[in-house]
Amino acid sequence: MKRIVRQLGSLLIATALVAGCSSGDDQTQQQGWVEEEVSFTDSAGLTLHGTYRHQGEDAGPAALLISESGQTDRNGDNAVAGPVGNMRQLAEYLSEKGIASLRYDKVGTGKTGLGPHAQNPAAVGSAAYSAGARAAVRYLAARPGTDDSRISVYALGEGTIHAMTLADDLEPDAPRIHSLGLFQPLPGRYLDIITARVKVDVEAAVEAGAKTPEQGQTVLDAWAAAVEEARTRGTAPRQLPDGLGAILNPGNVNAVVEADAIDPLALAAKVPTGTPVLLTCSDSDGQANCASVRPLTAALKHTALTVLDLKGVNHVLRDDPTDNVANYAKPGPLSAQLTAALDTFVTK
């Protein structure tokens, strides 16, 4: 069960928000492209810091990049997995296609930190992340170099929830989202996804002889009871077997319940008809394998949907069939399978 806790660490909302690491902005730039340090403020008064990568102020297409959940900063660097850098690489790829981009440190990460949430970090949940995304896309739309008819949003993992929220934002000042890149998306409700992973892990432990069937059932029953308690009463047990308390506990239950209340299928159904959408899944990604995302693809059938079934690609979009979290920070390019699909998608 410790394995599932480690694997879920890069997917799930952090049990305690702390500042994440950042790989900085001293990367070699393509000629004429500038990485500008910027900041903007969300509706809660939190100042978010980010990198606006652009080339002059002639209006052109622009993209907002939203990183994975938890302690993952603007560059895709994660306090658990290390300096992954995949979102920085995505920004650099988009530059090659003439697309400006904004990536930012979410609440609790990088230069942004907790701000006004510092007094109650356990209360930070999906609403705070969505507020940051809304502020970011409005900032991007207001830049002189942004063609507001060509704003795209590219997001990874749990970030895809906030990307779809932006596509359905009906506020008067909300920019229209031209297209969405939903990479390795969260395919269902938060606690349902965890429950499925727990069942797989317990079954594997029983089959390997590490647990008796009775011991396995005890773990499943305890987890099921904890999920029911969280959903019906908004509380969590102080102890759970096999390290599952790291995923759900009294300190993070409010954030978990808030995330669990979001149904990605309902959000997908509200994405405007005809919106170009690129959705990826991978046979090597235990968090977003292609079978698990099929209901999401069905919910997006009214869009101009492209589904990319990746082979041997890990959750951080690099070629690695093991999808081992320990390998996420190993240097390497984004998978050529992804960039080949993007070569066509960015022209839509």
Side-chain angles (χ1 to χ4, degrees):
M1 193 63 65
K2 291 180 180 178
R3 175 176 62 85
I4 197 170
V5 173
R6 290 195 301 269
Q7 289 176 331
L8 288 167
S10 64
L11 166 68
L12 305 176
I13 291 174
T15 58
L17 284 171
V18 298
C21 52
S22 175
S23 61
D25 298 318
D26 57 354
Q27 304 295 330
T28 301
Q29 308 299 321
Q30 289 100 335
Q31 185 175 6
W33 286 88
V34 175
E35 291 217 321
E36 178 183 348
E37 183 73 18
V38 299
S39 63
F40 45 91
T41 304
D42 71 9
S43 57
L46 174 68
T47 298
L48 295 104
H49 295 264
T51 302
Y52 175 51
R53 186 178 175 89
H54 64 104
Q55 188 178 41
E57 293 192 350
D58 292 337
L64 175 65
L65 312 185
I66 305 178
S67 295
E68 177 63 275
S69 64
Q71 302 170 48
T72 310
D73 73 5
R74 70 183 82 179
N75 294 317
D77 297 349
N78 184 276
V80 175
V84 177
N86 55 351
M87 303 309 280
R88 173 183 51 77
Q89 290 176 311
L90 179 58
E92 292 168 353
Y93 165 85
L94 292 171
S95 296
E96 296 172 2
K97 304 302 177 182
I99 301 171
S101 63
L102 172 65
R103 61 193 195 270
Y104 64 98
D105 293 331
K106 305 187 309 295
V107 57
T109 72
K111 291 181 68 176
T112 296
L114 289 169
H117 303 287
Q119 298 302 314
N120 191 15
V124 174
S126 290
Y129 293 118
S130 288
R134 286 194 297 270
V137 78
R138 284 160 172 75
Y139 176 85
L140 180 61
R143 292 292 306 215
T146 297
D147 177 352
D148 60 10
S149 69
R150 295 284 300 180
I151 296 175
S152 301
V153 183
Y154 294 92
L156 175 64
E158 192 236 357
T160 60
I161 295 294
H162 313 298
M164 289 190 287
T165 299
L166 295 180
D168 186 46
D169 191 342
L170 300 179
E171 293 297 321
D173 63 339
R176 175 182 172 274
I177 304 304
H178 171 73
S179 60
L180 291 173
L182 306 177
F183 302 147
Q184 314 304 92
L186 203 65
R189 288 182 63 185
Y190 191 82
L191 288 172
D192 289 342
I193 293 170
I194 302 173
T195 297
R197 295 290 299 274
V198 170
K199 287 180 178 178
V200 169
D201 201 67
V202 167
E203 289 171 359
V206 170
E207 184 176 349
K211 291 184 184 297
T212 66
E214 293 76 17
Q215 290 171 329
Q217 192 59 51
T218 297
V219 173
L220 294 177
D221 290 345
W223 176 253
V227 170
E228 178 68 13
E229 178 181 341
R231 285 177 168 172
T232 59
R233 301 204 298 273
T235 59
R238 294 193 174 277
Q239 291 186 336
L240 282 169
D242 284 13
L244 289 172
I247 298 172
L248 178 62
N249 58 68
N252 75 346
V253 66
N254 290 337
V256 169
V257 168
E258 184 179 320
D260 182 64
I262 299 172
D263 184 355
L265 303 185
L267 290 177
K270 293 180 180 179
V271 174
T273 299
T275 300
V277 177
L278 174 63
L279 183 150
T280 73
C281 59
S282 175
D283 62 353
S284 297
D285 186 352
Q287 301 175 23
N289 64 71
C290 294
S292 71
V293 303
R294 283 176 189 149
L296 188 60
T297 62
L300 288 164
K301 64 182 180 181
H302 61 289
T303 68
L305 178 64
T306 300
V307 179
L308 177 62
D309 291 0
L310 298 168
K311 307 297 182 186
V313 175
N314 66 14
H315 189 67
V316 296
L317 306 175
R318 295 197 178 109
D319 292 319
D320 174 19
T322 71
D323 193 38
N324 188 328
V325 175
N327 295 333
Y328 283 4
K330 285 187 176 180
L334 297 176
S335 173
Q337 298 171 59
L338 174 64
T339 55
L342 283 171
D343 288 345
T344 299
F345 183 74
V346 297
T347 66
K348 294 185 176 181

